[in-house]
Amino acid sequence: MTDALKRLSDEGVAIWLDDLSRKRITSGNLAELIDQQHVVGVTTNPSIFQKAISHGDGYEQQLTDLATRKVTVDEAIRMITTADVRDAADILRPVFDATGGQDGRVSIEVDPRLAHHTHATIAEAKQLAWLVDRPNTLIKIPATKAGLPAITEVIGKGISVNVTLIFSLERYREVMDAYLAGLEKAQAAGLDISRIHSVASFFVSRVDSEIDKRLDAIGTDEAKALKGKAALANARLAYQAYEEVFSSDRWAALDKAQANKQRPLWASTGVKDPAYKDTLYVVDLVAPGTVNTMPEATLEATADHGQVTGNTVAGTYEQAKAELEAVAKLGISYDDVVQLLEDEGVEKFEASWIDLLNSTEAELKRLAPSEG
């Protein structure tokens, strides 16, 4: 067992766990990961909650109480998920305090069915922040076109945000712009912007999955040689964009007011292709001021045999640009790929949420007391 996770932390990468369940909270497992595996944050999404609640234990008593109160299925899910996030936030509170609010964060996502509705997303974000009622919460808002003005508005109200489902470099720049606009709005309203935090979740492995599929369809040696390169190239160029935006004059003015940079968060870092090393999207994306949120299997793989060799992003921008250009020259449209992935990402989370609604509704009916 190496201490690759400590070396990763020492390089300025915050290690967050991409998973949450009530059993993980009540068994002491989350506290153990914080204590022993350098985990300093937790992310959730609709798919994670669907899996936890539909297949996990620890929810029956709360479901019974909710059934007895005859709450709607939407209210039941929000009561259950916010309870888990609140408890996880309490476990992570010492990390939050020790890092001045940068880490020790737990993310919870707005209803994915609202991804293309700006005003509903804003209302949901405010409600979630109120329901969880913990300073170390991040409200997740998808980086759809409708999500961008919602990000600005929510940040402007002093609510910290995790922007999710970012695939394209252009959209990532729009996300950073939305964050800065939100900080400026909060500042104009007299809020203490040093208390507002944000991360931008840039998705990694799904880019390789889609582009590799298209490279396989082309089938030439030139195409095959580019497999497994696009996702890292895309993420590294995202970090270049981050460096540019957070060294700009616009940022300097906010920095003077003690604003916090919106850190890039590498999401979807579990390897989908077994031909690739299982730590690929961790050890090859090491850069200061980043977050890597890992499924437990990736966390364990990194702890067991991850080779952390220092910053693996610096000095890669020209090569990354050349690799994406080589993919484009083969007729694979970058814009088409990233738009497809965004659309699929929203659809997958929506499908998981609907599955969760259906399974929870069935449980509420099963546990409802008989009249009389």
Side-chain angles (χ1 to χ4, degrees), residues 70-324:
K70 298 181 181 178
V71 303
T72 66
V73 64
D74 287 275
E75 185 183 352
I77 287 172
R78 275 312 181 205
M79 291 299 102
I80 293 166
T81 57
T82 54
D84 280 359
V85 168
R86 191 180 305 117
D87 289 344
D90 288 343
I91 294 168
L92 278 154
R93 184 61 189 263
V95 177
F96 173 81
D97 292 337
T99 61
Q102 179 161 265
D103 289 309
R105 296 271 175 178
V106 186
S107 297
I108 183 167
E109 190 149 349
V110 297
D111 186 330
R113 294 172 296 177
L114 307 178
H116 300 297
H117 304 279
T118 302
H119 296 297
T121 293
I122 295 164
E124 171 93 344
K126 287 158 60 181
Q127 173 74 357
L128 281 174
W130 178 83
L131 269 175
V132 177
D133 193 27
R134 294 294 184 272
N136 51 329
T137 313
L138 290 171
I139 306 303
K140 287 180 87 172
I141 297 175
T144 56
K145 276 291 184 187
L148 295 171
I151 293 158
T152 296
E153 190 68 24
V154 172
I155 290 288
K157 293 186 181 302
I159 297 169
S160 295
V161 170
N162 174 345
V163 184
T164 188
L165 290 175
I166 308 170
F167 296 94
S168 88
L169 295 166
E170 180 184 0
R171 183 57 53 83
Y172 178 42
R173 286 184 180 274
E174 291 174 335
V175 165
M176 289 188 283
D177 181 72
Y179 173 62
L180 296 184
L183 288 177
E184 289 159 352
K185 195 164 189 168
Q187 189 178 33
L191 299 181
D192 178 2
I193 62 173
S194 72
R195 300 171 69 87
I196 303 170
H197 287 257
S198 184
V199 294
S201 295
F202 199 87
F203 278 54
V204 186
S205 68
R206 294 186 196 180
V207 173
D208 269 344
S209 296
E210 183 59 33
I211 289 182
D212 283 0
K213 185 169 69 179
R214 299 184 187 207
L215 291 168
D216 278 334
I218 293 167
T220 63
D221 289 343
E222 185 185 9
K224 289 175 183 173
L226 288 167
K227 286 184 66 178
K229 296 185 184 297
L232 289 175
N234 200 39
R236 286 165 170 172
L237 291 174
Y239 191 80
Q240 181 185 34
Y242 158 77
E243 289 184 315
E244 287 173 9
V245 169
F246 289 99
S247 60
S248 66
D249 291 342
R250 184 184 183 189
W251 169 248
L254 290 162
D255 191 37
K256 281 181 185 171
Q258 298 185 304
N260 300 290
K261 292 179 180 178
Q262 182 186 54
R263 289 183 293 171
L265 178 151
W266 309 130
S268 182
T269 55
V271 172
K272 306 283 195 291
D273 188 333
Y276 301 151
K277 64 184 178 187
D278 52 6
T279 60
L280 179 66
Y281 304 124
V282 177
V283 299
D284 285 17
L285 286 175
V286 177
T290 59
V291 179
N292 196 309
T293 187
M294 308 178 205
E296 190 168 24
T298 304
L299 181 76
E300 289 174 350
T302 304
D304 181 62
H305 52 264
Q307 298 293 314
V308 179
T309 56
N311 190 324
T312 48
V313 173
T316 64
Y317 302 148
E318 288 305 314
Q319 181 189 348
K321 191 177 175 187
E323 285 167 347
L324 288 188

